[in-house]
Amino acid sequence: MLFFRRVMRKLGNKILWFPQLMTLGKPADTEELAGRLSTMSTVSKGDVFAVLSDLPDVMADILSNGRAVHIDGLGSFYLACTSRGNGVETKEEVNESQIKGLKVVFLPERYRGGDRKMKRPLVRQDMEFIEWTGKKE
């Protein structure tokens, strides 16, 4: 189940209300993921933990060589840059000094099913939404 709260936003001259999803509790960490994955396979929790722990280094290496990383059922990761200033007037003026920083972009997996509808493995279709009242029900 997912919890939401009501939030107010000013859009132009109007004040409107929207639902906003809330994240509750502490995030699932590598230890929890390893435990849950090991119960679904023949691999031990320690082995899963070791692989998950090495994943960021392997991904960073691949990304730093200009490649994207795609994990089936999860999605794709790639690097994008942020730029200084408002751009330049000509193509020839573009250079690396305009690059302010790098960020990792994540695109969740999606595909078209047999019914021609888009499927997203990370988003379950049977979710229940409950308004947050300040305590877990």
Side-chain angles (χ1 to χ4, degrees):
M1 80 183 82
L2 294 173
F3 291 94
F4 72 93
R5 64 181 176 179
R6 299 168 195 220
V7 295
M8 181 180 61
R9 294 203 181 114
K10 187 174 181 183
L11 295 177
N13 298 353
K14 288 184 169 183
I15 293 178
L16 300 173
W17 290 85
F18 296 91
Q20 180 183 57
L21 290 183
M22 300 179 61
T23 302
L24 303 177
K26 67 177 187 139
D29 59 12
T30 308
E31 180 85 16
E32 181 180 346
L33 289 174
R36 292 179 74 167
L37 287 168
S38 72
T39 64
M40 300 168 64
S41 69
T42 59
V43 182
S44 74
K45 180 179 174 181
D47 288 343
V48 176
F49 186 87
V51 170
L52 289 175
S53 296
D54 288 340
L55 186 61
D57 288 338
V58 172
M59 288 179 63
D61 186 52
I62 293 168
L63 293 169
S64 69
N65 284 295
R67 295 175 60 204
V69 174
H70 178 80
I71 301 174
D72 292 340
L74 185 62
S76 296
F77 300 82
Y78 65 92
L79 290 178
C81 67
T82 55
S83 303
R84 287 187 172 88
N86 295 323
V88 291
E89 301 212 6
T90 67
K91 180 177 167 178
E92 292 73 29
E93 293 177 84
V94 175
N95 64 61
E96 68 277 359
S97 69
Q98 291 173 276
I99 298 174
K100 185 169 101 177
L102 296 174
K103 60 183 177 181
V104 176
V105 178
F106 171 66
L107 293 174
E109 179 84 24
R110 62 184 196 161
Y111 61 91
R112 195 169 302 282
D115 57 2
R116 309 279 302 141
K117 292 182 181 176
M118 291 305 292
K119 308 287 184 193
R120 299 179 298 164
L122 287 178
V123 180
R124 294 194 170 154
Q125 300 304 307
D126 59 347
M127 296 304 303
E128 177 185 2
F129 299 97
I130 298 172
E131 185 171 1
W132 177 251
T133 59
K135 60 183 176 202
K136 247 185 174 176
E137 295 176 359

